[in-house]
């Protein structure tokens, strides 16, 4: 029998999910924020650029009236999500998730209460025209009480060539390499590598050909696409300046080298 290329300990999707994603915290934040805005829980959730659909899986765990739709272009990644993530759900939870292979620019039905695009995946849209088309389509895809929720990474570090290393509790190292950043176009070549205690490396486990967007640009695009009550949830920091994972609605923030925040709009 041919040897599998990746063991569970080196499968890029498992490493990515562990090192990059925080589905429980993200879904808690999104769910609470929707309730705050609309005074009732959201029922339907669309996860754009869903990849392995980890957030959708978390969403359907919230209750029997919750449904999720995951959208991604890449069939093998969706298949991986079905095999490894949806398979961990109960039959009832799994029956409330649909994964579709589609372009997020093109799919607008079924309409949903919440549309989320996390981990900056929309940075694949490198022109304002494409970004606006995406946000307009998101607007069309939402119910009247609908919320668009996107995260954004910024700060001076996001506009430099740099490499960041982070030890992951699993015993390996997550490496974010921003190999190039062009200050004229804001195009960036970003890569994720993993390094293991035995000296082995998984180079270029994921590569991203991105345009970095700024908060004011996204807010303007949300407004042009028809969104209302556009606001920012800014992550609070502890006394050592580290992010706490707690996000608060705010109009002004002090500059930091690297920050992650969320941009929200109501349909
Ligand atoms: C960084 S991964 C996101 C993984 C995960 N959802 C997360 O939040 O970390 C980006 C995903 O976007 C998908 N993608 C890129 N362009 C797309 C498009 N136009 N429509 C749908 N999916 C797209 C890729 O196939 C890839 O799985």
């Amino acid at each position: 029998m041919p040897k599998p290329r990746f063991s569970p300990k080196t499968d890029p999707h498992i490493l990515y999910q562990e090192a990059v994603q925080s589905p429980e915290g993200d879904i808690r934040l999104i769910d609470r924020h929707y309730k705050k805005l609309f005074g009732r829980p959201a029922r339907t959730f669309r996860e754009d650029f869903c990849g392995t659909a980890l957030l959708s899986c978390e969403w359907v765990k919230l209750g029997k009236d919750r449904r999720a739709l995951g959208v991604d272009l890449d069939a093998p990644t969706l298949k991986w999500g079905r095999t490894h993530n949806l398979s961990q759900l109960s039959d009832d939870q799994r029956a409330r998730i649909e994964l579709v292979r589609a372009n997020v620019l093109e799919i607008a039905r079924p309409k949903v209460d919440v549309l989320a695009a996390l981990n900056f995946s929309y940075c694949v849209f490198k022109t304002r025209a494409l970004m606006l088309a995406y946000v307009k389509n998101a607007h069309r895809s939402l119910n009247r009480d609908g919320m668009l929720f996107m995260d954004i990474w910024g700060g001076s570090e996001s506009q430099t060539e740099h490499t960041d290393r982070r030890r992951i509790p699993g015993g390996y190292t997550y490496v974010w390499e921003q190999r190039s950043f062009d200050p004229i176009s804001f195009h960036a070549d970003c890569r994720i590598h993993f390094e293991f205690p035995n000296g082995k490396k998984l180079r270029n486990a994921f590569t991203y050909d991105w345009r970095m967007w700024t908060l004011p640009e996204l807010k303007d695009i949300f407004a042009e696409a028809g969104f209302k009550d556009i606001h920012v949830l800014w992550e609070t920091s502890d006394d050592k300046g580290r992010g706490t994972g707690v996000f608060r609605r705010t109009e002004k923030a002090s500059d930091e080298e690297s920050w992650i925040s969320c941009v929200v709009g109501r349909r």
Side-chain angles (χ1 to χ4, degrees), residues 17 32 89 96 99 106 119 166 172-173 176 196 225:
Q17 291 189 164
R32 282 191 187 157
L89 300 172
R96 289 182 279 107
L99 300 187
E106 288 165 5
N119 278 319
R166 187 158 49 83
Y172 57 93
T173 301
W176 173 261
F196 304 97

Side-chain angles (χ1 to χ4, degrees), residues 16 20-21 47-52 55 71-74 77 102-105 118-119 121 124-125 208 210:
Y16 178 92
V20 177
Q21 295 193 274
E47 180 184 7
D48 274 358
F49 312 97
C50 72
T52 61
L55 291 182
V71 183
D72 200 285
L73 269 181
D74 192 57
T77 305
N103 190 329
V104 295
L105 290 167
L118 295 196
N119 278 319
S121 305
V124 292
F125 301 133
Y208 306 107
W210 273 356

